[in-house]
């Protein structure tokens, strides 16, 4: 997929730094110029990947980010702080009317007092990873970058009506993005409905109408598609791949995979 506009600006703002900037859209906000690759919708950095690979790390990161999402929706104002592992992050909701249209994240930053203490404790003998963080980026600097992004996003959102004529449904696209960037977690429609502020039954009907399949079937299909990619492009074991796409039971993963493709993961890889 070709990315431009918002992605171009994020790439420019990150250039020459170790910052990681992400944007997650909600509701009926967003258009084709706002589409971002997965790396710019999640916390994707060397140190985040390291923490996620630890036992229980994915779950802790997931809960931490969802707590920030809820706070952004509740307060509708920018805030900063340390993630559960100690990485500093600035969070800025873009509010249109009474809605949070999207949330801007500026992170991968080392906070030199409590942050460095917490990180060293959590990293143990991997404290060399501290060098992968941006060390000199203040709240005021985050405010400047966040303000630039918000102004540009507001400009892009003015193009929503024309993009909707091309079968682009922001409600569905935003949920699809969330699903596809969280496949390793236990994704439930009740949970997604709360995050995106929808009635669960309404979301189920809307998703089935637009995608011609149920929410759970879509999640399962995306997990299998991700597994196919990992089976072809990596040397990861079938067990590791099963975990990476959200299956904690490799037997169940094999059964679902075979149901979709009429062959086992090992046979597909051959």
């Amino acid at each position: 997929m070709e990315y431009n506009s918002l992605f171009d600006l994020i790439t420019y703002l990150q250039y020459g730094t170790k910052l990681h900037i992400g944007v997650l859209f909600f509701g009926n906000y967003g258009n084709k110029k706002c589409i971002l690759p997965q790396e710019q919708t999640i916390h994707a950095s060397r140190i985040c990947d390291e923490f996620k690979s630890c036992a229980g790390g994915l779950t802790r990161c997931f809960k931490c980010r969802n707590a920030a999402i809820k706070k952004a929706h509740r307060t509708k104002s920018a805030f900063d702080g340390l993630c559960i592992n100690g990485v500093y992050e600035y969070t800025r909701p873009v509010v249109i009317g009474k809605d949070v249209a999207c949330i801007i994240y500026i992170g991968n930053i080392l906070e030199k007092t409590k942050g460095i203490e917490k990180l060293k404790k959590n990293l143990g003998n991997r404290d060399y990873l501290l060098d992968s963080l941006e060390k000199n980026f203040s709240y005021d600097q985050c405010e400047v970058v966040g303000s630039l992004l918000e102004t540009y996003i507001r400009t892009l959102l003015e193009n929503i009506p024309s993009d909707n004529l091309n079968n682009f449904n922001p409600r569905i696209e935003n949920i699809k993005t969330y699903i596809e960037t969280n496949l390793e977690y236990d994704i439930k429609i009740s949970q997604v409905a709360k995050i995106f502020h929808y009635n669960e039954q309404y979301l189920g009907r809307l998703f089935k109408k637009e995608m011609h399949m149920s929410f759970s079937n879509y999640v399962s299909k995306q997990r299998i598609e991700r597994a196919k990619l990992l089976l072809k492009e990596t040397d990861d074991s079938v067990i590791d791949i099963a975990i990476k796409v959200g299956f904690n039971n490799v037997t169940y993963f094999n059964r679902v995979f075979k149901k979709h493709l009429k062959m086992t993961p090992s046979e597909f890889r051959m």
Side-chain angles (χ1 to χ4, degrees):
M1 179 181 291
E2 181 180 348
Y3 300 100
N4 52 33
S5 297
L6 181 57
F7 180 56
D8 288 343
L9 178 58
I10 288 174
T11 301
Y12 174 78
L13 291 171
Q14 289 181 161
Y15 184 76
T17 75
K18 296 176 182 178
L19 294 175
H20 178 267
I21 299 172
V23 182
L24 182 64
F25 285 86
F26 295 89
N28 197 34
Y29 294 96
N31 54 44
K32 291 180 179 177
K33 294 180 180 180
C34 296
I35 296 175
L36 296 169
Q38 179 187 15
E39 291 76 14
Q40 306 308 148
T41 60
I42 62 173
H43 293 152
S45 67
R46 186 180 175 193
I47 200 164
C48 287
D49 291 343
E50 187 73 19
F51 280 124
K52 289 176 184 177
S53 68
C54 300
L58 285 172
T59 301
R60 289 194 296 273
C61 289
F62 185 62
K63 289 180 178 178
C64 181
R65 193 183 198 208
N66 280 347
I69 289 173
K70 290 177 182 177
K71 181 176 179 178
H73 277 280
R74 184 178 71 252
T75 65
K76 294 182 170 62
S77 59
F79 59 91
D80 67 338
L82 302 177
C83 78
I84 194 168
N85 296 308
V87 179
Y88 177 88
E89 183 173 70
Y90 168 90
T91 304
R92 183 187 186 101
V94 176
V95 181
I96 297 178
K98 296 182 179 181
D99 301 329
V100 172
C102 66
I103 299 175
I104 298 166
Y105 302 95
I106 303 171
N108 203 47
I109 300 169
L110 178 64
E111 198 278 327
K112 293 183 178 179
T113 54
K114 293 182 179 179
I116 195 169
E117 292 175 8
K118 190 171 184 179
L119 279 166
K120 282 185 174 181
K121 180 180 178 181
N122 289 330
L123 286 169
N125 60 4
R126 299 167 297 168
D127 61 0
Y128 57 85
L129 288 169
L130 294 174
D131 290 335
S132 69
L133 298 171
E134 180 66 33
K135 295 181 175 61
N136 298 298
F137 216 78
S138 67
Y139 179 86
D140 289 342
Q141 289 172 300
C142 288
E143 281 272 273
V144 171
V145 173
S147 179
L148 283 170
L149 279 165
E150 178 173 348
T151 299
Y152 190 59
I153 287 168
R154 288 181 181 277
T155 300
L156 291 180
L157 291 180
E158 294 175 0
N159 296 321
I160 287 178
S162 60
D163 276 341
N164 277 347
L165 296 176
N166 296 320
N167 299 316
F168 185 93
N169 186 328
R171 286 189 179 93
I172 295 300
E173 293 301 323
N174 292 338
I175 292 169
K176 283 167 60 180
T177 296
Y178 183 85
I179 291 170
E180 290 159 17
T181 56
N182 290 285
L183 287 174
E184 62 266 46
Y185 304 112
D186 182 19
I187 304 172
K188 293 183 173 66
I189 190 170
S190 57
Q191 177 187 62
V192 175
K194 287 180 181 178
I195 290 171
F196 283 84
H197 296 269
Y198 289 126
N199 174 275
E200 182 179 338
Q201 287 70 36
Y202 167 77
L203 176 57
R205 291 193 301 271
L206 175 66
F207 203 88
K208 192 164 188 177
K209 177 184 176 183
E210 295 290 334
M211 300 303 299
H212 308 291
M213 67 180 75
S214 69
F215 180 90
S216 59
N217 284 345
Y218 181 81
V219 172
S220 181
K221 180 182 177 182
Q222 293 308 306
R223 284 181 167 144
I224 296 303
E225 290 300 315
R226 178 73 58 79
K228 285 165 58 180
L229 187 67
L230 293 173
L231 286 164
K232 288 295 185 184
E233 296 188 356
T234 75
D235 295 322
D236 294 347
S237 69
V238 171
I239 292 175
D240 287 341
I241 289 173
I243 292 170
K244 286 181 179 180
V245 299
F247 291 92
N248 292 324
N249 185 310
V250 70
T251 302
Y252 180 60
F253 169 60
N254 285 330
R255 187 161 65 245
V256 173
F257 194 96
K258 190 168 185 177
K259 178 181 177 182
H260 280 263
L261 297 174
K262 312 301 180 188
M263 65 179 77
T264 67
S266 297
E267 290 169 342
F268 177 83
R269 176 173 257 173
M270 291 175 62

